[in-house]
């Protein structure tokens, strides 16, 4: 089967992923920390033909099969990849469309180490043609050159740098449990405040308490919230969804979006929904939890990826198998009791 041409960068929705979230490189990272860069490079070269196992971003790029399949069967299996499933449907409806998902691997490894990464990409048959290897330098400066709509990394420092550059970004963590996800529909879940929206309302809550927060939202319910760091990514998803809607595929669209927020529907949900409407954005499902834990709801949704600004919700979702990402933005940034946010802030090879 002939590979389709990769999407054009200026038209594609580009997901930039670091090597340490696409693949499991925990062992190699420990070698780098404990034995230094030269031993790290030597180890990578010696294991060049040994592919990495999947990391937390893997299901976002490619849905895993329950059983091992030969290469020919995997290539012919429809909808075996999350992003590729969307691309395949788009190509059916719009043969000449260049508005497709594209994945770029970003790594600050040297090119010698990159050979193992390329071998791993080929082993898992991932649709990744663009790789940025920066040889020890930060890849953040290249994100805009690659027209990145979203950057996923295991390094919170790099994620913050990307956010400061105005690029949607989030930190991903290796987790023990990962739930099975849909093979025919890409599902993306967002928190509201400090993710899709600004942290304006959270600041009121932190400074003046819950009652003042409710009063503020009621008096400002017709004033749209300012945008948060991931609004642009939701816009990009919505742009693709509309292409399916225009062809009569609203009910079986292969992209589904979710707002999963701690807001109460009656007390503060109106402003959130009116804000989305003012932006011209649709959200498929809105779940207002009134402060309840998000993990059980996300376990039911089974999104490929979930974004939240509070580590409490990220950890709770991850414990139940959801691939949850932390967006280090806004007033609610706190180090958890486990120290998750700061456990790996040393220079990293991604």
């Amino acid at each position: 089967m002939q590979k389709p041409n990769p999407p054009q960068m200026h038209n594609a929705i580009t997901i930039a992923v670091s090597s340490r979230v696409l693949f499991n490189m925990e062992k190699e990272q420990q070698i780098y920390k404990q034995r230094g860069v030269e031993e790290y490079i030597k180890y990578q070269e010696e294991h060049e033909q040994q592919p990495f196992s999947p990391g937390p971003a893997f299901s976002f790029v490619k849905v895993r099969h329950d059983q091992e399949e030969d290469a020919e069967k995997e290539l012919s299996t429809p909808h075996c990849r999350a992003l590729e499933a969307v691309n395949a449907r788009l190509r059916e409806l719009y043969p000449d469309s260049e508005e497709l998902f594209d994945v770029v691997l970003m790594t600050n490894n040297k090119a010698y180490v990159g050979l193992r990464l390329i071998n791993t990409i080929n082993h898992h048959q991932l649709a990744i043609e663009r790789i940025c290897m920066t040889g020890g330098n930060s890849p953040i400066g290249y994100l805009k050159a690659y027209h990145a709509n979203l950057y996923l990394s295991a390094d919170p420092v790099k994620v913050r740098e990307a956010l400061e550059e105005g690029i949607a970004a989030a930190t991903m963590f290796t987790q023990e449990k990962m739930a099975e996800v849909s093979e025919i529909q890409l599902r993306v879940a967002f928190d509201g405040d400090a993710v899709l929206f600004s942290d304006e309302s959270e600041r009121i809550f932190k400074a003046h308490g819950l009652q003042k927060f409710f009063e503020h939202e009621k008096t400002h319910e017709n004033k749209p919230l300012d945008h948060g760091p991931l609004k642009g990514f939701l816009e990009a998803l919505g742009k693709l969804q509309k292409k399916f809607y225009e062809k009569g595929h609203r009910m079986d669209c292969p992209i589904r979006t979710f707002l999963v927020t701690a807001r109460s529907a009656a007390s503060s949900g109106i402003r959130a929904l009116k804000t989305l409407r003012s932006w011209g954005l649709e959200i498929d499902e809105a779940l207002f939890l009134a402060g309840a834990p998000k993990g059980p709801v996300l376990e039911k949704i089974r999104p490929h990826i979930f974004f939240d600004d509070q580590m409490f919700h990220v950890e709770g979702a991850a414990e139940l198998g959801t691939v949850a990402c932390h967006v280090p933005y806004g007033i609610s940034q706190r180090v958890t009791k486990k120290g998750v946010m700061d456990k790996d802030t040393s220079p990293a090879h991604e």
Side-chain angles (χ1 to χ4, degrees):
M1 179 182 294
Q2 184 177 359
K3 277 186 175 182
N5 293 327
Q8 296 298 312
M9 284 194 301
H10 60 282
N11 291 322
I13 295 179
T14 301
I15 313 297
V17 294
S18 76
S19 55
R20 280 206 298 142
V21 298
L22 184 56
F23 305 123
N24 187 334
M25 300 177 67
E26 292 299 308
K27 180 178 181 180
E28 289 75 12
Q29 185 65 9
Q30 290 304 312
I31 291 173
Y32 169 74
K33 287 182 177 180
Q34 297 171 7
R35 293 157 54 183
V37 65
E38 296 303 325
E39 287 296 316
Y40 169 84
I41 293 174
K42 180 181 177 182
Y43 179 89
Q44 296 282 37
E45 290 178 346
E46 290 173 349
H47 295 78
E48 193 171 284
Q49 298 303 318
Q50 179 182 335
F52 294 109
S53 60
F58 196 83
S59 65
F60 188 44
V61 175
K62 173 183 176 181
V63 177
R64 286 173 292 177
H65 293 277
D66 294 334
Q67 300 178 14
E68 195 68 25
E69 299 181 15
D70 60 77
E72 183 177 347
K73 182 178 180 182
E74 184 171 2
L75 277 174
S76 63
T77 302
H79 310 308
C80 64
R81 301 168 176 85
L83 301 185
E84 280 298 290
V86 179
N87 283 355
R89 292 276 304 275
L90 279 167
R91 286 188 172 107
E92 290 174 5
L93 298 174
Y94 301 91
D96 299 323
S97 176
E98 293 182 344
E99 294 174 331
L100 303 167
F101 281 111
D102 192 20
V103 179
V104 177
L105 181 63
M106 310 292 291
T107 175
N108 58 3
N109 276 290
K110 294 182 181 295
Y112 288 131
V113 177
L115 289 172
R116 188 180 181 192
L117 292 171
I118 294 173
N119 288 336
T120 300
I121 289 170
N122 291 333
H123 171 81
H124 292 294
Q125 298 181 331
L126 299 178
I128 297 177
E129 300 292 343
R130 308 188 204 280
I131 303 179
C132 178
M133 309 176 198
T134 62
N137 293 325
S138 173
I140 300 304
Y142 292 95
L143 290 173
K144 288 186 177 179
Y146 277 90
H147 299 272
N149 296 95
L150 176 68
Y151 173 58
L152 301 173
S153 172
D155 187 341
V157 175
K158 290 189 178 71
V159 168
R160 290 188 180 94
E161 290 175 359
L163 290 173
E164 290 171 0
E165 291 293 319
I167 297 169
T171 310
M172 297 190 85
F173 308 97
T174 300
Q175 55 194 70
E176 295 180 3
K177 180 180 179 182
M178 292 179 66
E180 292 294 324
V181 289
S182 173
E183 295 187 357
I184 61 173
Q185 186 178 65
L186 176 67
R187 298 177 182 175
V188 184
F190 300 87
D191 177 32
D193 296 289
V195 176
L196 290 180
F197 315 127
S198 72
D199 67 338
E200 167 200 326
S201 298
E202 285 195 8
R203 290 180 181 275
I204 298 294
F205 170 69
K206 294 289 184 182
H208 304 290
L210 187 60
Q211 188 57 42
K212 288 293 185 183
F213 164 79
F214 288 147
E215 293 173 4
H216 178 268
E217 294 305 284
K218 182 63 177 176
T219 58
H220 291 77
E221 68 178 34
N222 292 316
K223 179 183 178 182
L225 289 153
D226 197 2
H227 68 85
L230 265 70
K231 177 202 172 190
F233 183 54
L234 178 61
E235 284 179 326
L237 294 176
K239 184 179 180 182
L240 288 191
Q241 285 181 306
K242 287 179 180 178
K243 293 179 76 69
F244 288 101
Y245 300 166
E246 289 166 0
K247 294 289 187 175
H249 291 278
R250 176 179 288 272
M251 299 308 296
D252 64 341
C253 180
I255 302 172
R256 194 164 184 84
T257 56
F258 303 80
L259 172 65
V260 183
T261 174
R263 283 174 175 254
S264 303
S267 304
S268 57
I270 292 176
R271 190 180 186 197
L273 295 179
K274 284 188 173 182
T275 295
L276 291 171
R277 187 169 65 184
S278 74
W279 293 343
L281 295 180
E282 293 187 43
I283 202 87
D284 292 301
E285 298 189 29
L287 297 100
F288 295 93
L289 302 183
K294 298 181 180 181
V297 168
L298 291 164
E299 186 179 28
K300 177 67 176 178
I301 293 171
R302 293 183 179 267
H304 290 82
I305 196 166
F306 165 62
F307 301 96
D308 203 291
D309 68 307
Q310 298 192 50
M311 282 302 303
F312 170 79
H313 292 304
V314 171
E315 291 171 345
E319 287 175 1
L320 295 178
T322 297
V323 175
C325 303
H326 181 241
V327 182
Y329 177 88
I331 194 173
S332 294
Q333 301 314 304
R334 299 288 185 272
V335 177
T336 68
K337 62 182 180 181
K338 297 179 182 178
V340 174
M341 288 175 60
D342 290 338
K343 72 177 182 180
D344 190 14
T345 55
S346 59
H349 274 273
E350 292 213 296

